[in-house]
Amino acid sequence: MDYRKLLALAEEAKEHSYSPYSGFRVGAAILSTDGKVITGTNVESATYGATVCAERAAVVRAVSEGYRDFEAIAVASDAEGGSFPCGICRQFLAEFGLGIKVITGKPDGDIKVNTVAELLPFSFTGEELQKRDKQ
Ligand code: THU
């Protein structure tokens, strides 16, 4: 799928944002390796800390539907020029592959394509857990 189209789907998902506290809307659209697109949006909480970002919402929805192999995720936000996933979302995406491409920007403007590995260098993944010294 064309990554501008994926970003356009993330922009659409942004319309469903539940962000009464920050007023900052984010949408995400994740593309599975077999071509399925699943969207997510940010869902805020009065406790603030319980807020779920759009990217994690999309991943949780996708995994819940049986998708675990992803090619790319597009992120759309209210920020001028778009914005990158937060640190927690980078870690959450790394769980499913450092090679996943993260698409940011605007569908009709400049877009950036970076892998999760590029956005999360020196990452900690499940592989590290396998390397621990036996106690
Ligand atoms: N937000 C996301 O949905 N994704 C990010 O990667 C950055 C932040 C949301 C969380 C919160 O609802 C609002 O944006 C402001 O931080």
Side-chain angles (χ1 to χ4, degrees), residues 11-80:
E11 290 278 355
E12 274 180 41
K14 194 182 79 174
E15 296 299 316
H16 301 299
S17 170
Y18 176 73
S19 43
Y21 304 106
S22 73
F24 190 81
R25 301 175 307 161
V26 185
I30 193 160
L31 174 67
S32 72
T33 50
D34 51 358
K36 175 81 175 175
V37 176
I38 292 179
T39 59
T41 193
N42 56 329
V43 181
E44 297 187 346
S45 162
T47 64
Y48 288 35
T51 292
V52 177
C53 290
E55 297 90 324
R56 279 177 289 140
V59 170
V60 167
R61 285 191 70 210
V63 172
S64 300
E65 297 289 328
Y67 300 94
R68 291 183 183 178
D69 298 319
F70 305 114
E71 176 186 325
I73 183 168
V75 183
S77 84
D78 276 340
E80 196 182 338

Side-chain angles (χ1 to χ4, degrees), residues 23 27 31 46 49 60-61 64 66 76 87 90 101 103 113 118-119 122-123:
L31 174 67
V60 167
R61 285 191 70 210
S64 300
R90 293 176 196 207
K101 296 185 186 92
I103 319 303
V113 181
E118 287 166 338
L119 298 182
F122 306 105
S123 57

Side-chain angles (χ1 to χ4, degrees), residues 70-133:
F70 305 114
E71 176 186 325
I73 183 168
V75 183
S77 84
D78 276 340
E80 196 182 338
S83 54
F84 285 97
C86 77
I88 294 173
C89 288
R90 293 176 196 207
Q91 182 68 43
F92 206 71
L93 287 165
E95 186 68 27
F96 295 95
L98 292 168
I100 297 170
K101 296 185 186 92
V102 178
I103 319 303
T104 52
K106 294 286 169 184
D108 49 2
D110 286 339
I111 70 166
K112 293 190 183 76
V113 181
N114 292 97
T115 62
V116 171
E118 287 166 338
L119 298 182
L120 192 69
F122 306 105
S123 57
F124 184 94
T125 66
E127 279 181 32
E128 267 61 51
L129 297 176
Q130 307 307 320
K131 292 182 205 158
R132 78 185 156 92
D133 288 335

